[in-house]
Amino acid sequence: KAGVTQTPRYLIKTRGQQVTLSCSPISGHRSVSWYQQTPGQGLQFLFEYFSETQRNKGNFPGRFSGRQFSNSRSEMNVSTLELGDSALYLCASSLAQGPTNEKLFFGSGTQLSVL
Amino acid sequence: AQSVTQLDSQVPVFEEAPVELRCNYSSSVSVYLFWYVQYPNQGLQLLLKYLSGSTLVESINGFEAEFNKSQTSFHLRKPSVHISDTAEYFCAVSRAGGTSYGKLTFGQGTILTVHP
């Protein structure tokens, strides 16, 4: 079974631009979550999607948005990029069938650099 | 809201020595507890988790963690580490009983470096 796939692996943008990151979850997984990882703030939850609906959202500005498609693939978008948005963006998928069997499977991430 | 504090940012240790990575959490509601490991240039992988029941949980590669409710701790231990255990370890919590399984609150991470 293929793991969680994130594309692209690396991305360089300039301030003010927008960016779209993609995540393909493990086949059969219905929940996709996004995290931002930086050396200063660590891992911070962005949002979670389940069956194309946003189920939870972290404390990030409205410039950060996401969506999930009917095949569970997800995208996140960051508009009007700022230098502080430079980070590793991680996507995680899960079955979302209850806590007993629950675990998050993480992708390798997209490293975004904003110049 | 929940918060997680990992008390050591870096832990150096020699091969075959025991190790403990400390984690404390704060929450006004019941939580599930997790340890994730991140090897260089890889995504995070679940190491072990505590949901309920026995307070001692074990992983397949020799790590164990004990949930201590009175001290709000979930320390990770291994009696004898190997070079291959070198990685960054993250303690995390999620709200128990909810349906948002994807929302975890992570600690800042502990870099475990095993020296030969």
Side-chain angles (χ1 to χ4, degrees):
Chain A
K1 219 177 203 182
V4 177
T5 304
Q6 292 188 246
T7 56
R9 185 70 179 91
Y10 301 94
L11 208 47
I12 299 175
K13 293 286 187 179
T14 56
R15 280 184 301 172
Q17 286 187 310
Q18 76 164 17
V19 67
T20 299
L21 312 182
S22 180
C23 172
S24 293
I26 291 173
S27 177
H29 285 195
R30 300 186 297 169
S31 169
V32 173
S33 301
W34 288 89
Y35 287 82
Q36 182 195 65
Q37 186 177 20
T38 60
Q41 300 297 318
L43 280 151
Q44 294 186 286
F45 173 78
L46 280 156
F47 26 65
E48 178 189 11
Y49 286 88
F50 178 79
S51 293
E52 301 179 65
T53 301
Q54 187 180 86
R55 190 155 65 173
N56 234 313
K57 191 177 191 303
N59 295 323
F60 280 82
R63 301 185 297 107
F64 291 81
S65 63
R67 59 179 176 169
Q68 186 180 34
F69 302 96
S70 58
N71 61 358
S72 293
R73 190 177 70 86
S74 178
E75 289 181 347
M76 68 163 281
N77 184 277
V78 188
S79 62
T80 320
L81 284 166
E82 300 177 359
L83 295 179
D85 296 334
S86 294
L88 180 66
Y89 290 88
L90 292 168
C91 167
S93 73
S94 66
L95 283 167
Q97 289 182 342
T100 303
N101 296 316
E102 196 59 28
K103 71 189 253 188
L104 296 184
F105 292 80
F106 283 83
S108 297
T110 293
Q111 184 67 54
L112 172 64
S113 298
V114 182
L115 307 178
Chain B
Q2 296 89 43
S3 67
V4 178
T5 302
Q6 292 184 241
L7 297 162
D8 306 292
S9 59
Q10 297 192 50
V11 173
V13 65
F14 286 107
E15 193 173 17
E16 298 183 4
V19 70
E20 178 180 79
L21 307 183
R22 297 179 293 168
C23 171
N24 286 95
Y25 71 92
S26 173
S27 177
S28 57
V29 299
S30 296
V31 295
Y32 299 139
L33 294 148
F34 307 84
W35 277 99
Y36 278 82
V37 58
Q38 187 175 32
Y39 297 103
N41 300 314
Q42 295 185 28
L44 281 76
Q45 303 171 33
L46 179 67
L47 192 58
L48 45 75
K49 65 181 179 183
Y50 171 79
L51 303 180
S52 64
S54 172
T55 57
L56 185 66
V57 289
E58 299 177 351
S59 73
I60 58 173
N61 57 353
F63 283 94
E64 64 179 30
E66 185 160 21
F67 169 56
N68 188 318
K69 189 173 182 180
S70 63
Q71 298 187 5
T72 60
S73 69
F74 191 54
H75 301 333
L76 181 69
R77 302 183 182 95
K78 189 171 186 180
S80 176
V81 294
H82 191 267
I83 296 285
S84 60
D85 293 324
T86 295
E88 188 161 16
Y89 292 79
F90 293 91
C91 181
V93 301
S94 69
R95 181 178 176 144
T99 57
S100 185
Y101 308 117
K103 182 179 181 182
L104 298 180
T105 300
F106 283 90
Q108 290 287 84
T110 297
I111 297 173
L112 172 65
T113 304
V114 181
H115 298 283

